[in-house]
Amino acid sequence: MRYWEVPFGKEKPKTPLGEIHILKERCKGCGFCVEYCPKDVLEMSDEFNSKGYHPPQIINGEACVNCGLCETICPEFSIWCTLKEEVAFEN
Amino acid sequence: MPKISQKAIHKYLRHDKNFPHVWCSGCSNGIVLGATIRAIAELGYKKDNIAMVSGIGCSSRMPVYVDFNTLHTLHGRAIAFATGIKIVKPEMKVIVITGDGDATAIGGNHFIHGARRNIDMTVILINNNIYGMTGGQYSPTTPYGDRTTTTPYGNIDPTFDICDLAIGAGATFVARTTAFHAIEAQSFIKQAFEHKGFSLVEIISACPVIYGHLNKKGDASAMMKSMKENVILIEAFEKLSDEQKNGKQKRGIFVNKIRPEYIEEYDKLVRSLQDEKGGE
Ligand SMILES: Cc1ncc(C[n+]2csc(CCOP(=O)(O)OP(=O)(O)O)c2C)c(N)n1
Ligand code: SF4
Ligand code: SF4
Ligand code: SF4
Ligand SMILES: [Mg+2]
């Protein structure tokens, strides 16, 4: 596609929607994913895993934009995100 | 920066056997492992072409978790072993994982001479300001006044600046970042891998369980926040007054230059002698 053939503003930017995966058994409950998620998608749960740590839980899954910060900052490889779909950006 | 899928990461980890890893909750070592693996995945290196070498320490346990050629060696000697690998297998990508104690206390000589000779390897130095593994003795990077098990009344030793040390010794790629800046760490590590010569990436890290506890630094998250606030980009750092610089460190790429590489020079010498003597 040649960009100058599309009138400016015609194409709406897309927002990615992410799907979060948590390996509760591998989590050590450090809380980084909860603290640093820019969309406040997560919170620490009261649940225990078999090592006695509290894993995070999803409280606002629709807000996840698949930015990948949680998986980059997780020291345990126990949380990651995949792209679910891209939706038109609403102002 | 492209997002590296979890699948790509798993390819490089010995994830079926060795996880969860041994590091404490909130320790930065796992984040550095992630940044290193993602940088390798971005570059698409073959597993068999990488040698990861470490000394002894919590940080130095990293090779246990990766599916490359790995060497977990003697305290302080990782760079010496890495030099041996590079001499016999110059085509191999050699990565050294080391700690502040491992590289700047017992291994200080290997570190400065590796840099001086400009041997082609990437040193990822996890600086948590303490000997984590052995229970919290002070290291050459423990800040002035801080408490450790061997400085119970506060440390009076002046602190090593590891990047300055590497620059002074002649390293050709020198960068500093933190575990909090994990995406930047991935980018610096990637650039260090692509560099020909001795490259150092110092990663300011948190040992919340020992260093953090002894110095009342709060929990792991608070230590991450302190890295975010106190380790700032070179440009921002230079704008501060001397007073404001107190307690702050700069991060960024300090040196990136080319100089003859040791193994290549060695190879040239061998070839010229062989030619002279008619290839005996
Ligand atoms: C020759 C020798 N001396 C001392 C030790 C004990 N020792 C093991 S790890 C370590 C310090 C490690 O500190 P650092 O490199 O900062 O690693 P960290 O655990 O902080 O990641 C020491 C002194 C040893 N294993 N071998
Ligand atoms: S991918 Fe980004 S938005 Fe989604 S949970 Fe992780 S940090 Fe939050
Ligand atoms: S960052 Fe990882 S280890 Fe820490 S709480 Fe989140 S999922 Fe658990
Ligand atoms: S003792 Fe410190 S450096 Fe070692 S694993 Fe625990 S938090 Fe990390
Ligand atoms: Mg250390």
Side-chain angles (χ1 to χ4, degrees), chain B residues 204-217:
Chain B
I204 307 284
S205 293
C207 164
V209 171
I210 298 177
Y211 176 77
H213 176 71
L214 290 171
N215 290 289
K216 302 193 169 54
K217 298 279 180 196

Side-chain angles (χ1 to χ4, degrees), chain B residues 92-256:
Chain B
M92 217 171 231
K93 202 77 219 162
V94 179
I95 305 167
V96 172
I97 304 287
T98 180
D100 45 320
D102 197 61
T104 66
I106 192 169
N109 260 305
H110 300 293
F111 182 69
I112 56 178
H113 296 295
R116 176 176 62 89
R117 288 163 149 180
N118 196 31
I119 306 169
D120 185 29
M121 61 176 72
T122 295
V123 177
I124 299 173
L125 197 159
I126 302 179
N127 180 5
N128 57 8
N129 310 111
I130 204 154
Y131 289 2
M133 173 167 262
T134 42
Q137 295 80 6
Y138 78 128
S139 89
T141 65
T142 303
Y144 184 86
D146 275 6
R147 281 166 209 275
T148 67
T149 52
T150 41
T151 59
Y153 305 108
N155 170 36
I156 56 163
D157 280 21
T159 309
F160 250 155
D161 181 318
I162 292 177
C163 287
D164 281 355
L165 177 67
I167 295 166
T172 46
F173 183 99
V174 179
R176 175 189 289 133
T177 181
T178 81
F180 173 80
H181 302 92
I183 297 170
E184 185 181 83
Q186 180 184 333
S187 152
F188 286 0
I189 292 171
K190 183 180 169 216
Q191 290 175 64
F193 286 159
E194 289 176 308
H195 178 80
K196 181 94 192 161
F198 189 93
S199 51
L200 167 77
V201 183
E202 178 193 359
I203 305 190
I204 307 284
S205 293
C207 164
V209 171
I210 298 177
Y211 176 77
H213 176 71
L214 290 171
N215 290 289
K216 302 193 169 54
K217 298 279 180 196
D219 63 4
S221 251
M223 292 182 82
M224 292 284 271
K225 192 159 170 249
S226 143
M227 291 180 209
K228 177 184 176 188
E229 285 164 4
N230 295 323
V231 190
I232 56 180
L233 287 170
I234 303 170
E235 301 77 28
F237 183 85
E238 299 304 345
K239 283 189 197 133
L240 300 179
S241 68
D242 284 349
E243 204 176 292
Q244 289 169 318
K245 279 181 187 162
N246 217 337
K248 297 241 189 299
Q249 268 181 299
K250 53 186 168 187
R251 53 173 235 274
I253 297 173
F254 303 117
V255 171
N256 187 0

Side-chain angles (χ1 to χ4, degrees), chain A residues 28 66 71 75-76 80-81, chain B residues 3 6 21 23 25 30 38:
Chain A
K28 288 186 191 153
N66 191 31
E71 63 181 71
E76 307 292 333
W80 70 98
C81 197
Chain B
K3 194 162 173 273
Q6 199 75 2
H21 54 58
W23 297 313
S25 166
R38 287 185 184 91

